[in-house]
Amino acid sequence: PPPGGGGGGGAVIAFLRGRRLDLANGSFTELPLQSELAGAVAGEFLLEIDISNCRNLEKIPVDLLCAMPSLVSLECKGCPELVTPPPPPPPRPPPRPGGGGR
């Protein structure tokens, strides 16, 4: 897995497989690379994040993940230190009028 931060946007891109960020089996207590994930490129690009089996993971930045419009899947199992559920995500803004409804 990537280092716990400070690696710049290139570090995020280096650990992508397609549009999936694989951080499984990491030893971090918080999601690494949060500032890079919040950036426009990663936020618009990533479809999936896998943080499975991160035995020391204590919390997940739900607000950051909810702000990533392309993210559709967060794999998070086998994280025993993640003992309390994260706070509920903020409500999503309503769709813009004339935004090409489906």
Side-chain angles (χ1 to χ4, degrees):
V12 172
I13 302 304
F15 288 92
L16 289 174
R17 305 280 190 279
R19 294 179 68 183
R20 182 174 197 268
L21 178 60
D22 187 353
L23 299 172
N25 302 303
S27 60
F28 42 82
T29 58
E30 294 185 21
L31 193 63
L33 306 168
Q34 289 187 39
S35 60
E36 289 88 345
L37 289 174
V41 173
E44 298 286 333
F45 180 77
L46 283 174
L47 291 174
E48 303 174 21
I49 298 176
D50 185 356
I51 52 175
S52 299
N53 301 311
C54 294
R55 300 249 176 244
N56 300 322
L57 183 63
E58 296 174 353
K59 57 184 173 180
I60 299 173
V62 174
D63 54 340
L64 179 138
L65 298 175
C66 289
M68 298 173 72
S70 61
L71 188 66
V72 294
S73 174
L74 174 67
E75 187 77 27
C76 178
K77 59 185 175 188
C79 303
E81 296 301 314
L82 193 60
V83 294
T84 58
R92 290 191 179 241
R96 290 184 284 180
R102 297 178 187 187

